[in-house]
Amino acid sequence: MKLSHHTDYALRLLIYLAVHTDRPATIQEVAEAYDVSAHHLAKVAQEMVHSNWVESSRGRGGGLRLAQKPAAISLGAVIRRTETSFALVECLGGESTCPIESACRLKGVLAEARDAFLAVIDRYTLADLVRQRRTLVPLLLHKDTADR
């Protein structure tokens, strides 16, 4: 199973905001820290705001902040919100054209594996990802700041 870039960026954004709680962060700052597209990250940020995990403010001193404590943000909830499908194969998607579906056991095995993956993810929150804050902060320095 592979998570989409959208989900990856959502998790990265949330980690960044959980590590940098002292001030709002800009899309550009986060994009530069991870070396990812600011345009794509802006779309992700908008979804995180609509999901009430992130708050956004405009103007001087504005930016993005976590809207909830990291311990209140379930990784399972974020992944379920950002992934469009958990159909690992066609027959898990509901519109199967596979001629052996009625006798094939693969569908059940993959459904069980998917459910196990989600059950493990559900046990973790954003707080679990940022427990080593002091190690993460220097790794996520804004490139301009790191060069000084």
Side-chain angles (χ1 to χ4, degrees), residues 31-137:
E32 288 177 9
Y34 286 117
D35 195 23
V36 299
S37 163
H39 177 73
H40 286 57
L41 192 61
K43 290 179 183 180
V44 169
Q46 184 178 26
E47 184 173 359
M48 296 297 96
V49 168
H50 289 301
S51 299
N52 296 315
W53 292 314
V54 171
E55 58 187 22
S56 175
S57 57
R58 294 181 186 259
R60 187 177 176 106
L64 304 171
R65 289 182 176 269
L66 286 181
Q68 299 179 26
K69 300 244 184 246
I73 300 175
S74 161
L75 298 184
V78 173
I79 290 171
R80 282 179 179 86
R81 170 70 187 217
T82 55
E83 283 299 310
T84 56
S85 173
F86 289 99
L88 303 176
V89 289
E90 177 187 317
C91 58
L92 286 175
E95 300 268 336
S96 179
T97 60
C98 181
I100 66 166
E101 182 180 4
S102 63
C104 181
R105 297 196 59 209
L106 180 61
K107 180 178 183 175
V109 170
L110 291 176
E112 183 180 348
R114 176 204 56 213
D115 294 347
F117 168 80
L118 291 170
V120 170
I121 294 296
D122 284 338
R123 294 192 325 239
Y124 294 92
T125 68
L126 180 58
D128 295 312
L129 300 184
V130 297
R131 287 195 199 282
Q132 296 180 316
R133 185 179 184 279
R134 284 189 279 177
T135 304
L136 290 169
V137 168

